Each structure stands twice: as structure tokens, then as C-alpha cells.
Amino acid sequence: HKFELTITDEKGLSTTSTLTFEAPSAVDPNSPTVSSETLNLNGINVITSDLVARVDINAPNGIENFSVKIISDQLTKEELQGVGFDLANPGDLAAALNDLGFPTGDQVKGKTQMQFDITIFMEVLALFQGVHHFELTIVDAQGLTTSATLSFQAL
């Protein structure tokens, strides 16, 4: 959309400027969505003993990939090395991810609705002071994608 603005002062001097705005394309109603009744998805969640770290995933076409990437300034590159994984297709990481409370494989792949509950993992994350981000990317069977970032602060 283009808007042309012309401003004229009391002496008759004027200037014209054109502003261009691009409206985002419509979101496919079948795109995956991420919501939460327990977390602030637009801010930082402070880790407390009673924090429930749970999000609801809705993917009408079924989940194909569910990638999680952990970003933290407080963890070293060595600690973060390999801390990006696909819960739907975990490969050799399945057992370790399950031990940390993450759902994997058949608990994720093909699901049209699921809860991603990492409340148990908050006990581990609480040991590392600072702010930690979990970047979630969900791709469905039709290739539609959504992303959300969960942010947590350990005091």
C-alpha cells in the first residue's frame, strides 16, 4: 500500500512524501500454532519451584518436525554444542531427551495436538543463572511452519 502525503505551510511551501507499507500475507488457518496457559510467550518467565512450563501445540496437518534450539549466554559453546534437536525425529538422542522429560518420536510425529511440557527440565535449567531461550519451530506435514521462543530466567 502506498500513501502520498503532501504538507503545505502558511507561506505556500510544500513537500510530498510517499510511504509504502506491505501488509503481511494472510496466515493459513491450518498452520501450526503455539499457545500456553502457564507461560508468558512474549516475555521472560522466572524459574520458581512452582513454575509449570507447558505449551500447547496445534497442528491440524500433523507434526512433521519439532525443532528445539536452546540459546543461552550463560552456557558455554561446549555446553550448548549439539543442543539443537528435532523431537519428532530425535535419532540417537531419544533416550537422553526422554530422561530430561522431553517427548520424542511417536509422542510428537504426526500429532495434531500435543502438550510440550518441560516443567521437569526447569530443575536442571535453574542451576544456570541467567536468561535462557528455547526456540521452537514446528513444521507440519504440508510444510506450514510456526515458531515461538520460550524465555526463562534462573535467579
Side-chain angles (χ1 to χ4, degrees), residues 73-104:
D73 291 336
Q74 289 67 38
L75 301 175
T76 67
K77 288 182 182 178
E78 291 77 23
E79 289 169 324
L80 285 174
Q81 195 169 29
V83 185
F85 40 85
D86 179 356
L87 296 173
N89 306 286
D92 294 340
L93 296 175
L97 291 170
N98 290 151
D99 287 346
L100 292 172
F102 292 95
T104 60

Side-chain angles (χ1 to χ4, degrees), residues 1-5 18-24:
H1 303 283
K2 292 187 179 194
F3 296 92
E4 185 174 284
L5 302 173
T18 302
L19 303 173
T20 304
F21 297 93
E22 184 175 331

Side-chain angles (χ1 to χ4, degrees), residues 32-36 39 41 53-57 65-71 85 87 102-103 114-118 133-139 145-152:
T33 59
V34 177
S35 61
S36 180
L39 296 174
L41 298 180
R54 181 175 52 226
V55 295
D56 297 304
I57 310 297
N65 301 97
F66 187 159
S67 299
V68 179
K69 182 178 179 184
I70 300 174
I71 299 169
F85 40 85
L87 296 173
F102 292 95
M114 67 168 284
Q115 281 193 333
F116 178 59
D117 189 338
I118 55 173
H133 306 281
F134 286 66
E135 288 184 356
L136 311 179
T137 303
I138 295 97
V139 181
T145 303
T146 194
S147 297
T149 301
L150 310 179
S151 297
F152 300 98

Side-chain angles (χ1 to χ4, degrees), residues 110-122:
K111 298 293 183 193
T112 57
Q113 294 183 335
M114 67 168 284
Q115 281 193 333
F116 178 59
D117 189 338
I118 55 173
T119 302
I120 293 171
F121 187 70
M122 293 298 105

Side-chain angles (χ1 to χ4, degrees), residues 6-9 11-16:
T6 302
I7 300 172
T8 305
D9 68 12
K11 296 181 181 179
L13 299 173
S14 66
T15 185
T16 301

